[in-house]
Amino acid sequence: LDPVLGLEDPFSVRVISQIFSGLLELGPEMQVLPDVAESWEVLEGGREYVFHLREDVVWSDGTPVTAEDFCYAWKRVLSPDRDIGWAYLLYDVKGASAFHQGRVSDPASVGLHAPDALTMAVELEEPCGYFLYLLASNAYPVPRHLVEARGAAWADAESLVTNGPFRLKAWQPTESIVLERNPMYHGRFSGNVERVEMCQLPDPLARWAEYEADNLDVFNLSRLAPTERDRARQQHPGEQFSVQMPVTRYIDFDVSRPPFDDVRVRRAFVLATDRHRLADVILRGYSLPATGGLVPPGMPGHSAGISLSYDPEQARQLLAQAGYPGGRGFPPVQALGADAIVGWREYLQAQWRENLGIDIPWEPIEWSEIMRRRDAPPHLLCTGWIADYPDPDSFMRGRLLYQDRFRDWT
């Protein structure tokens, strides 16, 4: 529930984004809109931003939200004493990376300043066009007066203080979370929802049964197998609302050791995989084939048609050149899959067995277990990247900065 600690986990983000409000927010068309900041100025050719905060924004204990709450929260993210995985998102701020990496010890060297309670000035290393997008997607404040008084306990469920459209009413870990409307919320649209009850059922089929029994108002279809998703849409026509997600799923090869230190082997595995059939048949059109680079469709930087094509014959030739004709002599490899999409593991296994003569067993695994095993990386890891903010920079730079924490895997 602490927005500094929770933003690395997509499930925690769903709750945090409802109980906290940042300087800016994203509109339905991904436009940047005011939130706690009612206006801002861009100075010094894009190297400085000055945000002017609203006077009527308060924490749920009635204390005013100040510019210092934002500066304090962001410097807390950057503290070298904490291992905050998303700290790199603030590296565009002047002095942020040097402070976070311990090259400079003075937090005052970071370009975050609060001249007064309602003004926040941010100095950047260089101008960057995605900076406002970044602030609209992350970087919430924390109530400095409570964090300094209570330490980590400030974010306990019974004492949590927030500033978003909802506030925490109750939390039973692994069971349920209850949010209630925040009567002091400053936002433009107050809506008509007074209470949200979130049940934590790990099995998607159990959640679907609850939806069909009219015990759930909202259900995320993406966790169902494609055939089950088709059936759900047919049984409940008109109840589905679809949006595109800026996410790319991919296979990590460990290039530091055989057999994937050989580029011919890696290319052979790619050429032996029919991504169009995977997307259109196995996943029944709910995903798109990743044939346009790492940046997904709908985002600037997507380059349609630049990928390797499906060519099993060329794949077999490359594998033979690498010393594994027909897959003979290929060493045992470990393959881990943390993705919840049903059907892809079996499909890839069948493709590589049929086209390369190689049988690779996949081990389904939770992401938390992968993190615990990061000192012993697998040969193959199926993972993905969800954009932290709607700009290609999140895929092309942010993803690499994040993976730099697990350098042995890249």
Side-chain angles (χ1 to χ4, degrees):
L1 298 177
D2 185 332
V4 170
L5 304 177
L7 286 186
E8 199 168 1
D9 170 41
F11 301 102
S12 298
V13 167
R14 296 175 187 176
V15 177
I16 289 171
S17 64
Q18 297 302 314
I19 60 178
F20 287 92
S21 291
L23 289 174
L24 309 170
E25 65 177 343
L26 290 176
E29 303 299 326
M30 292 299 164
Q31 70 272 42
V32 175
L33 300 174
D35 196 347
V36 175
E38 62 181 357
S39 64
W40 57 91
E41 304 164 61
V42 184
L43 308 173
E44 302 296 327
R47 287 180 170 82
E48 183 176 0
Y49 287 74
V50 178
F51 298 93
H52 303 283
L53 277 58
R54 296 171 55 136
E55 298 181 4
D56 59 346
V57 183
V58 296
W59 293 106
S60 53
D61 65 355
T63 305
V65 175
T66 69
E68 186 56 41
D69 289 329
F70 283 93
C71 293
Y72 180 76
W74 298 5
K75 289 181 181 180
R76 192 163 163 256
V77 173
L78 293 167
S79 171
D81 298 330
R82 294 184 177 88
D83 184 23
I84 305 299
W86 64 275
Y88 68 88
L89 291 176
L90 296 177
Y91 276 12
D92 290 300
V93 176
K94 186 175 181 179
S97 64
F99 176 61
H100 182 240
Q101 295 171 14
R103 301 195 305 272
V104 176
S105 59
D106 185 5
S109 64
V110 180
L112 300 170
H113 312 286
D116 58 60
L118 298 177
T119 306
M120 181 179 181
V122 182
E123 299 176 81
L124 303 184
E125 296 281 4
E126 297 289 343
C128 56
Y130 52 82
F131 185 64
L132 293 180
Y133 277 137
L134 192 154
L135 297 190
S137 307
N138 303 279
Y140 296 105
V142 296
R144 180 176 182 175
H145 63 289
L146 280 187
V147 178
E148 291 187 335
R150 296 179 55 85
W154 84 271
D156 290 348
E158 61 272 10
S159 57
L160 183 70
V161 169
T162 60
N163 72 324
F166 291 90
R167 60 188 182 187
L168 187 70
K169 177 66 174 177
W171 180 28
Q172 297 293 326
T174 74
E175 293 183 15
S176 64
I177 296 175
V178 179
L179 307 179
E180 65 178 7
R181 182 173 174 175
N182 180 6
M184 295 182 286
Y185 178 54
H186 59 276
R188 296 180 304 281
F189 306 109
S190 58
N192 63 357
V193 177
E194 294 289 341
R195 180 182 174 96
V196 178
E197 300 178 8
M198 306 171 69
C199 66
Q200 295 176 260
L201 296 173
D203 181 7
L205 291 178
R207 292 201 299 273
W208 176 243
E210 289 293 292
Y211 182 86
E212 292 211 288
D214 208 23
N215 295 326
L216 290 181
D217 296 295
V218 178
F219 175 80
N220 186 351
L221 285 171
S222 68
R223 293 299 174 182
L224 290 179
T227 53
E228 294 165 344
R229 199 184 310 188
D230 283 346
R231 190 178 307 113
R233 293 176 64 190
Q234 292 166 4
Q235 292 172 346
H236 298 271
E239 296 183 19
Q240 177 175 277
F241 179 77
S242 298
V243 294
Q244 270 197 315
M245 284 288 291
V247 55
T248 299
R249 295 180 175 87
Y250 53 88
I251 303 289
D252 268 351
F253 294 97
D254 183 353
V255 301
S256 66
R257 54 178 168 158
F260 297 115
D261 58 341
D262 191 326
V263 66
R264 295 171 296 186
V265 175
R266 301 197 299 272
R267 289 175 68 92
F269 272 66
V270 176
L271 290 164
T273 305
D274 187 345
R275 281 171 284 184
H276 284 280
R277 187 170 184 274
L278 172 60
D280 298 339
V281 178
I282 306 302
L283 303 181
R284 304 182 71 83
Y286 290 110
S287 296
L288 300 173
T291 58
L294 192 65
V295 178
M299 183 176 286
H302 174 76
S303 304
I306 65 170
S307 69
L308 294 173
S309 60
Y310 177 54
D311 191 338
E313 182 57 37
Q314 185 182 357
R316 287 187 284 270
Q317 293 174 7
L318 286 171
L319 196 65
Q321 293 171 14
Y324 308 108
R328 293 187 296 277
F330 199 82
V333 299
Q334 183 187 36
L336 303 182
D339 204 309
I341 291 180
V342 177
W344 64 263
R345 295 186 188 95
E346 296 80 3
Y347 176 77
L348 292 180
Q349 189 176 36
Q351 286 270 282
W352 297 337
R353 183 190 304 116
E354 177 183 345
N355 294 327
L356 300 176
I358 297 172
D359 191 11
I360 295 183
W362 283 91
E363 179 184 349
I365 189 172
E366 294 294 328
W367 183 252
S368 57
E369 179 62 22
I370 288 178
M371 300 298 283
R372 284 192 288 270
R373 294 194 196 181
R374 62 189 186 187
D375 292 331
H379 296 85
L380 292 172
L381 174 68
C382 186
T383 181
W385 187 257
I386 304 173
D388 291 297
Y389 43 97
D391 190 276
D393 177 76
S394 180
F395 283 92
M396 306 308 294
R397 183 186 64 96
R399 180 185 62 90
L400 296 178
L401 285 173
Y402 179 81
Q403 285 193 330
D404 191 50
R405 299 175 66 216
F406 315 111
R407 192 171 294 109
D408 290 342
W409 286 16
T410 56

